[in-house]
Amino acid sequence: MAHQSGIRVSSALESQFRSAPTDGIRVLQAQITGESVEPQAMQSQHGTLLDDFDSIPKLLNDTCPCYLLIRLDTSKWVFATFVPDGANVRSKMLYAATKATVTRTLGESHFIDTMFGTTRDDFTSAGYTRHRVHAESSAPLTEREQELERIRDDESKVAEAPTMDSRRSHARAVYPLHEDAERAVREFASGTANFVLLTIDSQRETVNAAFAGSVQSHDEMKQQVPPNVPCYALYRFDGQTRMFIYSCPSSSSVRERMVYSTFRHGFTECVRALGVEFDVRMEVDDVEELNAEALDAEVSSRLVKHVAQPKFKRPVPPNRRPRTTPS
C-alpha cells in the first residue's frame, strides 16, 4: 500500500483544474509548498497537443520536482511527475508519496495516462511520442525507457509505508550515519553508553548523534528527548533490556514525520549491523509517554510474549479411550 504523506491538495489547484477546459489551459504545473500542493504556473492551449508539449520544458527547473497536469484535446488529462536527478532525496520521497493523494482529490477518472521523467527532454513532443509508442506496443524498452522504469520503481519502493513492525520496508531507505552517530551506536552496543539520541539532518542527508552517554533515571532520559521534533533513541531500560524508541510528536511538521517514518526500518537495520539487537520497540507521539510507568508496562508486555507458553493438550473426545504409547 502506498504511503500517504499527509500533504493535501490546495483549493486553488482544485479550482484551476476544474476551470481549465473553459479557461483554455493546456498545462497546470504544481509543486509541494509547505504542507499542500499548490499551482505554480500554467500554460495556455495554443495549438495541437504535440505543439504545446514543446513549450512544457520552460516550466521545469533542473533541481525542483513538480507535477504536470496536461489536458488532452478531449476532456481527459495526463498526470506527469517530473523528478530531476538533481533533486534531493527528501523531495523525491515527498512527490512519490503524494501522487496518489493528488489524483484521488482531483478525480482519478479524469486521468487516462501517466508520465514520469527526469529531464526536460522527457516532456517534449518527441518525449511524449516515445511514451505513447511504448504504451501502445509491446516492443522491448529502449535503454532510456529502462532507466526511467528503474527510477519509477525505486520511487515507488521508497513511498511504501514502513511501520514499526513492518517487514516490507527497505533497509536501503536510510540516510548514512555520521561519524559521531556511528561512534555513539557502537558505545551503546558495548555498554559504554546506556542512552543514545539520534536525529536526521535532512539538509545534509545524514543521521547525527544528539546525545550519547549514561543517564541515571527514566526521568533523566525523558528530559533528553525533544518535545517538538521526531527522533530515534536507543535505551537500556534496566541495564540489559535494549529499547528502540521512536518519538514522533504530533506537533512536528508533516515533512519531518514522513522522513522519520520512511527511514525508521532502514535505520534499525543499520544499527543492527553495528551489533545492536532490540528487545523492545516503542513508539510515542508525546514525550510525556516516556514515564517510568509507561516504560515498565511496555517492556513487560513485550517481553512476556517471548516467554514459552505451555503446550495446549487437546481433550480426549467423548466415548474414546485415551491414546497410549506401547511400552
Coordinates of all heavy atoms in Angstrom, one line a residue, residues 19-83:
S19 N -11.6 24.6 -13.8 CA -11.9 25.6 -14.8 C -11.0 25.6 -16.0 O -11.2 26.4 -16.9 CB -11.9 27.0 -14.1 OG -10.6 27.3 -13.7
A20 N -10.0 24.7 -16.0 CA -9.0 24.7 -17.1 C -9.6 24.6 -18.5 O -9.2 25.3 -19.4 CB -8.0 23.6 -16.8
P21 N -10.6 23.6 -18.7 CA -11.1 23.5 -20.0 C -11.8 24.8 -20.6 O -11.6 25.2 -21.7 CB -12.2 22.4 -19.9 CG -11.7 21.6 -18.7 CD -11.1 22.6 -17.8
T22 N -12.5 25.5 -19.7 CA -13.2 26.7 -20.2 C -12.2 27.9 -20.3 O -12.4 28.8 -21.0 CB -14.4 27.0 -19.2 OG1 -13.9 27.2 -17.9 CG2 -15.4 26.0 -19.3
D23 N -11.2 27.8 -19.5 CA -10.2 28.9 -19.5 C -9.1 28.7 -20.6 O -8.2 29.5 -20.7 CB -9.5 29.0 -18.1 CG -10.4 29.5 -17.1 OD1 -11.5 30.0 -17.4 OD2 -10.1 29.3 -15.9
G24 N -9.2 27.5 -21.3 CA -8.2 27.3 -22.3 C -6.8 26.9 -21.8 O -5.8 27.2 -22.5
I25 N -6.8 26.3 -20.7 CA -5.5 25.9 -20.1 C -5.1 24.5 -20.6 O -5.8 23.6 -20.5 CB -5.5 26.0 -18.6 CG1 -5.9 27.3 -18.0 CG2 -4.2 25.5 -18.0 CD1 -5.0 28.4 -18.5
R26 N -3.9 24.4 -21.1 CA -3.3 23.2 -21.5 C -2.6 22.4 -20.4 O -2.7 21.2 -20.2 CB -2.4 23.4 -22.7 CG -1.6 22.1 -23.2 CD -2.6 21.1 -23.8 NE -2.8 21.5 -25.2 CZ -3.6 20.8 -26.0 NH1 -4.2 19.7 -25.6 NH2 -3.8 21.2 -27.3
V27 N -1.8 23.2 -19.7 CA -0.9 22.6 -18.7 C -1.0 23.3 -17.3 O -0.9 24.6 -17.3 CB 0.6 22.5 -19.1 CG1 1.4 21.8 -18.0 CG2 0.7 21.8 -20.4
L28 N -1.1 22.6 -16.2 CA -1.0 23.2 -14.9 C 0.2 22.6 -14.3 O 0.4 21.3 -14.2 CB -2.2 22.9 -14.1 CG -3.5 23.6 -14.4 CD1 -4.7 23.0 -13.6 CD2 -3.3 25.1 -14.1
Q29 N 1.1 23.4 -13.8 CA 2.3 22.9 -13.1 C 2.0 23.2 -11.6 O 1.6 24.3 -11.1 CB 3.5 23.7 -13.5 CG 4.8 23.1 -12.8 CD 5.7 24.2 -12.3 OE1 5.3 25.3 -11.8 NE2 7.0 24.0 -12.4
A30 N 2.3 22.1 -10.7 CA 2.0 22.2 -9.3 C 3.2 21.7 -8.5 O 3.9 20.8 -9.0 CB 0.8 21.5 -8.9
Q31 N 3.5 22.3 -7.4 CA 4.6 21.9 -6.5 C 4.1 21.8 -5.1 O 3.1 22.4 -4.7 CB 5.7 22.9 -6.6 CG 6.4 22.9 -8.0 CD 7.6 23.9 -8.0 OE1 7.5 25.0 -7.5 NE2 8.7 23.5 -8.6
I32 N 4.9 21.0 -4.3 CA 4.6 20.9 -2.9 C 5.2 22.1 -2.2 O 6.4 22.3 -2.2 CB 5.2 19.6 -2.3 CG1 4.5 18.4 -3.0 CG2 5.0 19.5 -0.8 CD1 5.0 17.0 -2.6
T33 N 4.3 22.9 -1.6 CA 4.8 24.0 -0.8 C 4.3 23.9 0.6 O 3.0 24.0 0.8 CB 4.2 25.3 -1.5 OG1 4.7 25.4 -2.9 CG2 4.7 26.6 -0.8
G34 N 5.2 23.8 1.5 CA 4.7 23.6 2.9 C 4.1 22.3 3.1 O 4.7 21.3 2.8
E35 N 2.8 22.3 3.4 CA 2.1 21.0 3.6 C 0.9 20.9 2.6 O -0.1 20.2 2.9 CB 1.6 20.9 5.0 CG 2.8 20.9 6.0 CD 2.3 20.6 7.4 OE1 1.1 20.4 7.7 OE2 3.2 20.6 8.3
S36 N 1.0 21.5 1.4 CA 0.0 21.4 0.4 C 0.6 21.5 -1.0 O 1.7 21.9 -1.2 CB -1.1 22.5 0.6 OG -0.5 23.8 0.4
V37 N -0.2 21.0 -1.9 CA 0.2 21.0 -3.3 C -0.4 22.3 -3.9 O -1.7 22.4 -4.0 CB -0.2 19.8 -4.1 CG1 0.2 19.8 -5.5 CG2 0.3 18.5 -3.4
E38 N 0.4 23.2 -4.4 CA -0.1 24.5 -4.9 C 0.2 24.7 -6.4 O 1.2 24.2 -6.9 CB 0.6 25.6 -4.1 CG 0.4 25.6 -2.6 CD -1.0 26.1 -2.2 OE1 -1.7 26.6 -3.1 OE2 -1.3 26.0 -1.0
P39 N -0.7 25.3 -7.1 CA -0.4 25.7 -8.5 C 0.7 26.7 -8.6 O 0.7 27.7 -7.8 CB -1.7 26.2 -9.0 CG -2.4 26.8 -7.8 CD -2.0 25.9 -6.7
Q40 N 1.7 26.5 -9.5 CA 2.8 27.4 -9.6 C 2.8 28.1 -11.0 O 3.3 29.3 -11.1 CB 4.1 26.6 -9.4 CG 4.3 26.0 -8.1 CD 4.3 27.0 -6.9 OE1 5.0 28.1 -7.1 NE2 3.7 26.8 -5.8
A41 N 2.4 27.5 -12.0 CA 2.4 28.1 -13.3 C 1.4 27.4 -14.2 O 0.9 26.3 -13.9 CB 3.8 28.0 -13.9
M42 N 1.0 28.0 -15.3 CA 0.1 27.4 -16.2 C 0.5 27.7 -17.7 O 1.3 28.7 -17.9 CB -1.3 27.8 -16.0 CG -1.6 29.3 -16.2 SD -3.3 29.7 -15.9 CE -3.4 29.4 -14.1
Q43 N 0.1 26.9 -18.6 CA 0.4 27.2 -20.0 C -0.9 27.1 -20.8 O -1.7 26.1 -20.6 CB 1.4 26.1 -20.5 CG 1.7 26.2 -22.0 CD 2.7 25.1 -22.4 OE1 3.7 24.9 -21.7 NE2 2.3 24.4 -23.4
S44 N -1.2 28.0 -21.6 CA -2.5 28.1 -22.3 C -2.4 27.1 -23.5 O -1.3 26.8 -24.0 CB -2.8 29.5 -22.8 OG -3.0 30.3 -21.7
Q45 N -3.5 26.8 -24.1 CA -3.5 26.0 -25.3 C -3.4 26.9 -26.5 O -4.2 27.8 -26.7 CB -4.9 25.2 -25.4 CG -5.0 24.3 -26.6 CD -6.3 23.5 -26.6 OE1 -7.0 23.5 -25.6 NE2 -6.6 22.9 -27.7
H46 N -2.3 26.6 -27.3 CA -2.1 27.4 -28.5 C -2.2 26.7 -29.8 O -2.5 27.2 -30.8 CB -0.7 28.0 -28.4 CG -0.5 29.0 -27.3 ND1 -1.1 30.2 -27.2 CD2 0.3 28.9 -26.1 CE1 -0.8 30.8 -26.1 NE2 0.1 30.0 -25.4
G47 N -2.0 25.4 -29.7 CA -2.1 24.6 -30.9 C -2.5 23.1 -30.6 O -3.3 22.9 -29.7
T48 N -1.9 22.2 -31.3 CA -2.2 20.8 -31.1 C -1.5 20.4 -29.8 O -0.6 21.1 -29.2 CB -1.7 19.9 -32.2 OG1 -0.3 20.0 -32.3 CG2 -2.3 20.3 -33.5
L49 N -1.8 19.2 -29.3 CA -1.1 18.7 -28.1 C 0.4 18.6 -28.3 O 1.1 19.1 -27.4 CB -1.7 17.3 -27.7 CG -1.1 16.6 -26.5 CD1 -1.3 17.4 -25.3 CD2 -1.6 15.2 -26.4
L50 N 0.8 18.1 -29.4 CA 2.3 18.0 -29.6 C 2.9 19.3 -29.7 O 4.0 19.5 -29.2 CB 2.5 17.1 -30.9 CG 2.2 15.6 -30.8 CD1 2.5 14.9 -32.1 CD2 3.0 15.0 -29.6
D51 N 2.2 20.3 -30.3 CA 2.8 21.6 -30.4 C 3.0 22.2 -29.0 O 4.0 22.8 -28.7 CB 1.9 22.6 -31.2 CG 1.8 22.2 -32.7 OD1 2.8 21.6 -33.2 OD2 0.9 22.5 -33.4
D52 N 2.0 22.1 -28.2 CA 2.1 22.6 -26.9 C 3.0 21.9 -26.0 O 3.6 22.5 -25.0 CB 0.7 22.6 -26.2 CG -0.3 23.6 -26.9 OD1 0.2 24.5 -27.6 OD2 -1.5 23.4 -26.8
F53 N 3.3 20.6 -26.3 CA 4.2 19.9 -25.5 C 5.6 20.5 -25.5 O 6.4 20.5 -24.5 CB 4.3 18.4 -25.9 CG 3.9 17.4 -24.9 CD1 2.6 16.9 -24.9 CD2 4.7 17.0 -23.9 CE1 2.2 16.0 -23.9 CE2 4.3 16.1 -22.9 CZ 3.0 15.6 -22.9
D54 N 6.0 21.0 -26.7 CA 7.4 21.6 -26.8 C 7.6 22.8 -26.0 O 8.7 23.3 -25.9 CB 7.6 21.9 -28.3 CG 7.9 20.6 -29.1 OD1 8.5 19.7 -28.5 OD2 7.5 20.6 -30.3
S55 N 6.5 23.4 -25.4 CA 6.7 24.5 -24.5 C 6.8 24.2 -23.0 O 7.1 25.0 -22.2 CB 5.5 25.5 -24.7 OG 5.5 26.0 -26.0
I56 N 6.5 22.9 -22.7 CA 6.5 22.5 -21.3 C 7.8 22.6 -20.7 O 7.9 23.0 -19.5 CB 5.9 21.0 -21.2 CG1 4.4 21.0 -21.6 CG2 6.2 20.4 -19.8 CD1 3.8 19.6 -21.5
P57 N 9.0 22.3 -21.3 CA 10.3 22.4 -20.7 C 10.5 23.8 -20.0 O 11.3 23.9 -19.1 CB 11.3 22.1 -21.8 CG 10.5 21.2 -22.7 CD 9.1 21.7 -22.7
K58 N 9.9 24.8 -20.5 CA 10.1 26.1 -20.0 C 9.5 26.2 -18.5 O 9.9 27.1 -17.8 CB 9.4 27.2 -20.8 CG 9.9 27.3 -22.3 CD 9.1 28.3 -23.1 CE 9.5 28.3 -24.5 NZ 8.7 29.2 -25.3
L59 N 8.6 25.3 -18.2 CA 8.0 25.3 -16.9 C 8.9 24.6 -15.8 O 8.6 24.6 -14.6 CB 6.6 24.6 -16.9 CG 5.6 25.3 -17.8 CD1 4.3 24.4 -17.8 CD2 5.3 26.7 -17.4
L60 N 9.9 23.9 -16.3 CA 10.7 23.0 -15.4 C 12.0 23.6 -14.9 O 12.6 24.4 -15.6 CB 11.0 21.7 -16.2 CG 9.8 21.0 -16.8 CD1 10.2 19.7 -17.6 CD2 8.7 20.6 -15.8
N61 N 12.3 23.2 -13.7 CA 13.6 23.6 -13.1 C 14.4 22.3 -12.8 O 13.9 21.3 -12.4 CB 13.3 24.3 -11.7 CG 14.5 24.8 -11.0 OD1 15.4 24.0 -10.7 ND2 14.6 26.1 -10.8
D62 N 15.7 22.4 -13.1 CA 16.6 21.2 -13.1 C 16.8 20.6 -11.7 O 17.4 19.6 -11.6 CB 17.9 21.5 -13.8 CG 17.7 21.7 -15.3 OD1 16.8 21.1 -15.9 OD2 18.5 22.5 -15.9
T63 N 16.4 21.3 -10.7 CA 16.6 20.8 -9.3 C 15.3 20.7 -8.5 O 15.4 20.1 -7.4 CB 17.6 21.7 -8.6 OG1 17.0 23.0 -8.5 CG2 19.0 21.8 -9.2
C64 N 14.2 21.1 -9.1 CA 12.9 21.1 -8.3 C 11.9 20.2 -9.0 O 11.5 20.4 -10.1 CB 12.3 22.5 -8.2 SG 13.4 23.7 -7.4
P65 N 11.5 19.1 -8.3 CA 10.4 18.3 -8.8 C 9.1 19.0 -8.9 O 8.9 20.1 -8.3 CB 10.3 17.2 -7.8 CG 11.5 17.2 -7.0 CD 11.9 18.7 -7.0
C66 N 8.2 18.5 -9.7 CA 6.9 19.1 -9.8 C 5.9 18.1 -10.5 O 6.3 17.1 -11.0 CB 6.9 20.4 -10.6 SG 7.2 20.2 -12.4
Y67 N 4.6 18.4 -10.4 CA 3.6 17.7 -11.1 C 3.2 18.5 -12.3 O 3.1 19.7 -12.2 CB 2.4 17.4 -10.2 CG 2.7 16.6 -9.0 CD1 2.4 17.1 -7.7 CD2 3.2 15.3 -9.0 CE1 2.6 16.3 -6.5 CE2 3.5 14.5 -7.9 CZ 3.1 15.1 -6.7 OH 3.4 14.3 -5.5
L68 N 2.8 17.8 -13.4 CA 2.3 18.5 -14.6 C 1.0 17.8 -14.9 O 0.9 16.6 -15.1 CB 3.3 18.3 -15.7 CG 4.7 19.0 -15.6 CD1 5.6 18.5 -16.7 CD2 4.6 20.5 -15.6
L69 N 0.0 18.7 -14.9 CA -1.4 18.2 -15.3 C -1.6 18.7 -16.7 O -1.7 19.9 -17.0 CB -2.4 18.8 -14.3 CG -2.1 18.6 -12.8 CD1 -3.3 19.2 -12.0 CD2 -1.9 17.2 -12.5
I70 N -1.6 17.7 -17.7 CA -1.6 18.1 -19.1 C -3.0 17.7 -19.7 O -3.3 16.5 -19.7 CB -0.4 17.3 -19.8 CG1 0.9 17.7 -19.1 CG2 -0.4 17.8 -21.3 CD1 2.0 16.8 -19.5
R71 N -3.7 18.7 -20.2 CA -5.0 18.4 -20.7 C -4.9 18.0 -22.2 O -4.3 18.6 -23.0 CB -5.9 19.6 -20.6 CG -7.4 19.4 -20.9 CD -8.3 20.6 -20.6 NE -7.8 21.8 -21.2 CZ -8.2 22.1 -22.5 NH1 -9.0 21.3 -23.2 NH2 -7.8 23.2 -23.0
L72 N -5.6 16.9 -22.5 CA -5.6 16.4 -23.9 C -6.6 17.2 -24.7 O -7.3 18.1 -24.1 CB -5.9 14.9 -23.9 CG -5.0 14.0 -23.1 CD1 -5.5 12.5 -23.1 CD2 -3.6 14.1 -23.6
D73 N -6.7 16.9 -26.0 CA -7.7 17.6 -26.8 C -9.1 17.2 -26.5 O -10.1 17.8 -27.0 CB -7.4 17.4 -28.3 CG -6.1 18.0 -28.7 OD1 -5.7 19.1 -28.1 OD2 -5.4 17.5 -29.6
T74 N -9.2 16.1 -25.6 CA -10.5 15.7 -25.1 C -10.7 16.3 -23.7 O -10.0 17.3 -23.4 CB -10.6 14.2 -25.1 OG1 -9.6 13.7 -24.1 CG2 -10.3 13.6 -26.4
S75 N -11.6 15.8 -23.0 CA -11.8 16.3 -21.6 C -10.9 15.5 -20.6 O -11.0 15.8 -19.4 CB -13.2 16.2 -21.2 OG -13.6 14.8 -21.2
K76 N -10.0 14.7 -21.1 CA -9.2 13.9 -20.2 C -7.8 14.5 -20.0 O -7.4 15.4 -20.8 CB -9.1 12.4 -20.7 CG -10.4 11.7 -20.8 CD -11.1 11.6 -19.5 CE -12.4 10.8 -19.5 NZ -13.0 10.6 -18.2
W77 N -7.1 13.9 -19.0 CA -5.8 14.5 -18.7 C -4.7 13.5 -18.6 O -4.9 12.3 -18.4 CB -5.9 15.2 -17.3 CG -6.8 16.4 -17.2 CD1 -8.1 16.4 -17.2 CD2 -6.4 17.7 -17.1 NE1 -8.6 17.7 -17.2 CE2 -7.6 18.5 -17.1 CE3 -5.1 18.4 -17.1 CZ2 -7.5 19.9 -17.0 CZ3 -5.1 19.8 -16.9 CH2 -6.3 20.5 -16.9
V78 N -3.4 14.0 -18.7 CA -2.3 13.2 -18.4 C -1.7 13.7 -17.1 O -1.5 14.9 -16.9 CB -1.2 13.3 -19.5 CG1 0.1 12.6 -19.2 CG2 -1.7 12.8 -20.9
F79 N -1.4 12.8 -16.2 CA -0.8 13.2 -14.9 C 0.7 12.8 -15.1 O 1.1 11.7 -15.2 CB -1.4 12.4 -13.7 CG -0.8 12.9 -12.4 CD1 -1.5 13.9 -11.7 CD2 0.3 12.4 -11.9 CE1 -1.0 14.4 -10.5 CE2 0.8 12.8 -10.7 CZ 0.2 13.8 -10.0
A80 N 1.6 13.9 -15.0 CA 3.0 13.7 -15.2 C 3.8 14.1 -13.9 O 3.4 15.1 -13.3 CB 3.5 14.4 -16.4
T81 N 4.8 13.4 -13.6 CA 5.7 13.7 -12.5 C 7.1 13.9 -13.0 O 7.7 13.1 -13.7 CB 5.7 12.6 -11.4 OG1 4.4 12.2 -11.1 CG2 6.5 13.0 -10.2
F82 N 7.6 15.1 -12.7 CA 9.0 15.5 -13.1 C 9.9 15.4 -11.9 O 9.7 16.2 -10.9 CB 9.0 16.9 -13.8 CG 10.4 17.4 -14.0 CD1 11.2 16.7 -14.9 CD2 10.9 18.5 -13.4 CE1 12.5 17.2 -15.2 CE2 12.1 19.0 -13.7 CZ 13.0 18.3 -14.6
V83 N 10.8 14.5 -11.9 CA 11.7 14.4 -10.7 C 13.2 14.4 -11.2 O 13.7 13.4 -11.6 CB 11.5 13.1 -9.9 CG1 12.4 13.0 -8.7 CG2 10.0 13.0 -9.5

